[in-house]
């Protein structure tokens, strides 16, 4: 069997997997994915139909499998099996418990359809992979909170949440969820708050109760990254002049504090930030390397650093 037919078999199998995993598959998308012509995709689909696969649709409209049609379990490559193991380790360490439980159930189903040799591969290799998480795990009092949020997004229904703010106030909000994201070791929900008439993000571990209502909303909110640009507070521009020898120690943490860009100068690296944590977070981070940095602006940041340094000095004298 020559290389041409081997490639076709791989491509046709992959197209079948796409049909199994999506409600509608467009020929143009398949042609782009496999870097072939649309005419080649038409022939591949015809090959599947000739093999008895009940495909609904036609060229130009997209294809799908007949509803209710069941295919035998798919076979996974060795590389795919190894990727499952790695993903499972990551989910165990970083996922919210409400997601982790569902993922574990899904993985059990995946394991059930693996060949005997692949099951042996998992048993031999899974203890050789680990993920070390140095951050404290957050509480998971609400076991089904993220699935509830995702269901509300899919159904376009409003949520009512009882939320504990950073200053320990408890408030009730009606929100229209846009999405969820993981950042700084916490899960967040991005949503339109009907009380504030604006977009807000809420830390999932601070949600005390959550209820999915029957109230639907029609607004199309788009992708979550379009809304993470919104901020609860005003941002302050900060310019620092930092000695080059310390840059390697702050290159990973700087992005958490609104880092925008840097410019190399004769006297060091000029770093520019757009931060909303100018009152507490930014000064406390900056003081960890303040002996290697000069504040160019704002002037108020210098005052905050002096006050913070004075408090530290006073505590050390006591």
């Amino acid at each position: 069997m020559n290389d041409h037919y081997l490639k076709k078999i791989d491509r046709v199998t992959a197209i079948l997997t796409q049909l199994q995993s999506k409600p509608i598959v467009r020929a143009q998308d398949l042609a782009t994915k496999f870097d072939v012509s649309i005419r080649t995709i038409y022939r591949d689909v015809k090959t599947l139909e000739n093999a008895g696969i009940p495909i609904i649709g036609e060229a130009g409209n997209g294809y799908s499998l007949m509803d209710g049609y069941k295919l035998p379990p798919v076979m996974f490559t060795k590389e795919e099996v190894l990727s499952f193991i790695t993903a499972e380790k990551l989910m165990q360490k970083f996922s919210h418990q409400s997601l982790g439980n569902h993922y574990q159930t899904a993985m059990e189903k995946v394991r059930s359809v693996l060949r005997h040799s692949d099951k042996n591969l998992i048993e031999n290799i899974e203890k050789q992979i680990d993920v070390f998480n140095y951050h404290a795990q957050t509480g998971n009092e609400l076991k089904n909170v993220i699935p509830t949020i995702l269901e509300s997004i899919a159904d376009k229904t409003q949520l009512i949440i009882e939320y504990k703010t950073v200053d320990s106030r408890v408030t009730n909000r009606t929100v229209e969820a846009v999405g969820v994201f993981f950042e700084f070791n916490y899960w967040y929900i991005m949503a339109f708050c009907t009380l504030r008439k604006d977009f807000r993000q809420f830390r999932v571990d601070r949600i005390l109760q959550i209820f999915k209502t029957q109230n639907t909303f029609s607004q199309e909110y788009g992708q979550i990254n379009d809304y993470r640009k919104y901020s609860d507070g005003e941002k302050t521009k900060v310019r620092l002049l930092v000695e080059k020898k310390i840059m390697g120690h702050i290159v990973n943490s700087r992005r958490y504090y609104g880092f925008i860009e840097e410019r190399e100068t004769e006297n060091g690296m000029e770093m520019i930030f757009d931060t909303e944590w100018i009152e507490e977070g930014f000064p406390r981070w900056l003081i960890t390397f303040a002996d290697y940095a000069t504040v160019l602006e704002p002037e108020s940041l210098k005052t905050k650093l002096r006050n913070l340094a004075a408090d530290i000095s006073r505590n050390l004298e006591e």
Side-chain angles (χ1 to χ4, degrees):
M1 187 178 293
N2 62 38
D3 186 60
H4 169 76
Y5 287 107
L6 286 174
K7 288 182 177 179
K8 179 172 182 176
I9 290 173
D10 289 342
R11 190 174 61 249
V12 169
T13 302
I15 291 173
L16 182 56
T17 300
Q18 292 286 305
L19 289 168
Q20 289 180 264
S21 60
K22 297 180 179 179
I24 296 291
V25 180
R26 295 174 60 246
Q28 180 61 62
D29 295 336
L30 292 173
T32 301
K33 180 178 179 64
F34 299 111
D35 194 23
V36 296
S37 67
I38 294 181
R39 187 176 295 276
T40 296
I41 296 299
Y42 293 161
R43 289 197 292 265
D44 290 342
V45 171
K46 190 65 177 177
T47 298
L48 287 170
E49 290 176 331
N50 292 338
I53 306 299
I55 298 175
I56 301 174
E58 57 185 25
N61 295 325
Y63 301 104
S64 63
L65 288 177
M66 180 182 294
D67 190 32
Y69 179 73
K70 302 297 183 183
L71 287 168
V74 296
M75 292 293 103
F76 299 106
T77 66
K78 181 181 296 184
E79 292 77 12
E80 290 168 339
V81 172
L82 292 173
S83 72
F84 289 150
I85 302 171
T86 307
E88 185 174 23
K89 294 291 184 178
L90 288 169
M91 287 293 289
Q92 289 171 354
K93 297 288 182 171
F94 290 103
S95 71
H96 190 274
Q97 184 175 339
S98 61
L99 288 178
N101 291 341
H102 293 297
Y103 186 83
Q104 184 177 3
T105 302
M107 275 302 299
E108 289 173 356
K109 293 179 181 178
V110 169
R111 290 170 188 255
S112 71
V113 300
L114 293 177
R115 294 171 298 191
H116 182 72
S117 59
D118 291 334
K119 292 177 181 177
N120 288 337
L121 174 64
I122 287 182
E123 184 175 351
N124 292 333
I125 203 69
E126 62 182 347
K127 293 181 181 179
Q128 309 308 122
I129 303 174
D130 206 347
V131 177
F132 298 102
N133 182 8
Y134 295 102
H135 299 280
Q137 295 294 314
T138 59
N140 292 313
E141 288 77 10
L142 298 180
K143 304 304 182 185
N144 213 38
V145 59
I146 292 183
T148 298
I149 295 169
L150 296 178
E151 286 176 12
S152 78
I153 295 172
D155 298 339
K156 301 193 73 170
T157 54
Q158 293 181 336
L159 292 169
I160 296 176
I161 62 173
E162 184 179 292
Y163 188 72
K164 184 178 181 180
T165 64
V166 66
D167 55 358
S168 298
R169 292 183 297 107
V170 176
T171 178
N172 289 294
R173 303 287 186 93
T174 299
V175 301
E176 298 173 357
V178 175
V180 296
F181 64 95
F182 185 81
E183 189 174 52
F184 308 153
N185 207 50
Y186 293 103
W187 281 97
Y188 295 84
I189 170 177
M190 178 65 70
F192 179 80
C193 177
T194 60
L195 176 65
R196 303 301 184 194
K197 304 298 182 185
D198 201 356
F199 295 93
R200 293 289 187 271
Q201 63 185 48
F202 303 91
R203 228 171 74 180
V204 167
D205 63 306
R206 291 185 182 149
I207 297 176
L208 304 178
Q209 293 190 72
I210 185 168
F211 305 98
K212 197 172 109 174
T213 73
Q214 299 300 314
N215 302 325
T216 60
F217 59 89
S218 57
Q219 179 65 40
E220 295 289 343
Y221 287 122
Q223 299 180 7
I224 186 171
N225 286 338
D226 297 334
Y227 294 90
R228 290 189 59 206
K229 300 173 185 177
Y230 286 78
S231 170
D232 288 341
E234 295 183 1
K235 292 187 177 181
T236 302
K237 181 180 179 181
V238 174
R239 291 172 56 236
L240 305 177
L241 185 62
V242 181
E243 293 185 29
K244 295 178 184 178
K245 63 182 178 181
I246 199 67
M247 291 297 294
H249 297 281
I250 63 175
V251 67
N252 292 325
S253 58
R254 64 187 182 180
R255 65 186 183 89
Y256 299 144
Y257 298 94
F259 173 75
I260 298 176
E261 61 177 309
E262 66 183 14
R263 294 192 287 264
E264 187 172 0
T265 71
E266 293 181 357
N267 299 319
M269 299 298 293
E270 182 180 340
M271 302 177 65
I272 301 176
F273 297 81
D274 196 15
T275 183
E276 55 186 284
W277 299 296
I278 194 66
E279 295 297 328
E280 284 287 341
F282 195 94
R284 293 184 181 279
W285 173 67
L286 176 56
I287 205 168
T288 62
F289 61 95
D291 50 335
Y292 294 100
T294 301
V295 177
L296 302 179
E297 66 170 287
E299 197 67 28
S300 61
L301 181 56
K302 297 181 181 180
T303 302
K304 295 180 190 302
L305 282 176
R306 292 190 193 101
N307 294 338
L308 189 55
D311 290 340
I312 294 173
S313 178
R314 186 166 48 252
N315 289 339
L316 290 175
E317 292 174 358
E318 292 179 353

